[in-house]
Amino acid sequence: MPVASHVAVAAVVIVLTLVNVLNNRLLPAAYVLTSIVATAVLLVLLRSAGVGWDQAGLGRDAVRRGVTWGLLLVIVVAVCYLVCALLPATRDLFLDRRVGSADPGRLAFEVLVRIPVGTVLLEEVAFRGVLYALVRSEHGVVWATVVSSGLFGLWHVLPASGISTVNPFFTRIFGAGPLGAVTATAVAVAAMALAGAVLCELQRRSGSLLAPAALHWAANGLGFITAYLVINFR
C-alpha cells in the first residue's frame, strides 16, 4: 500500500537533515558516497508514496526535453561567467580561497565527480524531484515550490556558514566578525531559496529534472572552473 504523501515528505526531511550534518560536519570525506545512498533512499520514498516518475521529472519522455533545455542553459551560464570574469567590477566574485588551493586533479574531481554526483544529483532529486512531486501531488504547484525552495534554502545554512571568511568579496561587504558571518549566511540562504524557486519552475516548464540539473551543474561546476582560472592566471 502507498505511504501517505505527508509521511513520505517527513521521511525525506529527516533523511536530508541527517545527510546535511554528515556531509558538512561529521563525515565530509564520504560526501559523494553519502549523497548517492541518500539519493537512492529518496527515490524509494517517492515510489512508496505512489507518485510516478513523470511527476518528478524522471519519465522517459523527459530526457529529450531536458537535454535541449540543459544545453542552452549551460551555454548561457558559460557566457555570463566569461563576461563576469573579464569585467574588473565582478571579477572578485570568483576569488574563493577554497578554489585557490586546488590543483588540476582536484579541479577535475570537483567538476566531474563531486559537483555532479555528490551535489547536483542529490539536491535535484531531493528538492526538484522527490519533494516537489510529493507536495505537488497533494497541494499543487505553488505549495510545492514554496516547500521545496524554502527547504533548499535551509539546506545551505551549514555550507554557507563560512562564506564571509573564504571570499574577500563577501568579507568586504559583510565584514569578518560574527555579525558579518551571520548576515552573510542569512543572505546566502535567502539567495538559495530564490534559486530553488527558479529551479522548480524550470522543472515544471521543461517537465524534466535534467533541465534544472544542467543549470545547477553549470552554476557550480563552471563557477569552480572560472574561479580557478581567475585565481591562477590573472
Side-chain angles (χ1 to χ4, degrees), residues 26-74:
L26 300 181
L27 204 59
Y31 183 93
V32 175
L33 178 59
T34 301
S35 296
I36 292 173
V37 173
T39 300
V41 172
L42 295 176
L43 291 174
V44 170
L45 288 172
L46 176 72
R47 295 301 293 139
S48 71
V51 178
W53 298 122
D54 288 342
Q55 293 170 274
L58 294 168
R60 293 182 180 180
D61 295 338
V63 174
R64 181 181 57 82
R65 294 193 303 274
V67 169
T68 302
W69 279 76
L71 288 174
L72 291 173
L73 291 167
V74 169

Side-chain angles (χ1 to χ4, degrees), residues 164-165 170-172 174-181:
S164 64
T165 61
F170 293 105
T171 303
R172 288 198 300 270
F174 301 107
L179 180 60

Side-chain angles (χ1 to χ4, degrees), residues 158-212:
L158 291 182
S161 59
I163 191 172
S164 64
T165 61
V166 298
N167 190 312
F169 180 85
F170 293 105
T171 303
R172 288 198 300 270
I173 295 176
F174 301 107
L179 180 60
V182 172
T183 304
T185 300
V187 171
V189 168
M192 289 301 99
L194 178 60
V198 172
L199 292 170
C200 283
E201 181 62 11
L202 183 56
Q203 197 266 46
R204 185 185 73 83
R205 288 180 177 272
S206 67
S208 174
L209 201 61
L210 287 176

Side-chain angles (χ1 to χ4, degrees), residues 55-218:
Q55 293 170 274
L58 294 168
R60 293 182 180 180
D61 295 338
V63 174
R64 181 181 57 82
R65 294 193 303 274
V67 169
T68 302
W69 279 76
L71 288 174
L72 291 173
L73 291 167
V74 169
I75 292 171
V76 169
V77 172
V79 171
C80 289
Y81 279 168
L82 176 61
V83 172
C84 289
L86 293 175
L87 293 176
T90 52
R91 188 177 301 135
D92 285 357
L93 283 168
F94 299 100
L95 299 181
D96 192 313
R97 295 186 179 94
R98 295 169 297 184
V99 179
S101 61
D103 56 30
R106 185 191 161 199
L107 174 66
F109 175 76
E110 291 285 340
V111 173
L112 300 177
V113 180
R114 191 177 192 274
I115 291 174
V117 180
T119 300
V120 175
L121 176 66
L122 172 61
E123 292 182 3
E124 291 309 315
V125 168
F127 295 100
R128 264 66 65 179
V130 175
L131 269 174
Y132 186 76
L134 287 172
V135 179
R136 184 178 180 181
S137 66
E138 294 289 335
H139 303 287
V141 171
V142 174
W143 273 111
T145 302
V146 170
V147 172
S148 173
S149 58
L151 290 174
F152 186 61
L154 293 175
W155 169 263
H156 286 85
V157 169
L158 291 182
S161 59
I163 191 172
S164 64
T165 61
V166 298
N167 190 312
F169 180 85
F170 293 105
T171 303
R172 288 198 300 270
I173 295 176
F174 301 107
L179 180 60
V182 172
T183 304
T185 300
V187 171
V189 168
M192 289 301 99
L194 178 60
V198 172
L199 292 170
C200 283
E201 181 62 11
L202 183 56
Q203 197 266 46
R204 185 185 73 83
R205 288 180 177 272
S206 67
S208 174
L209 201 61
L210 287 176
L215 178 58
H216 195 161
W217 175 84

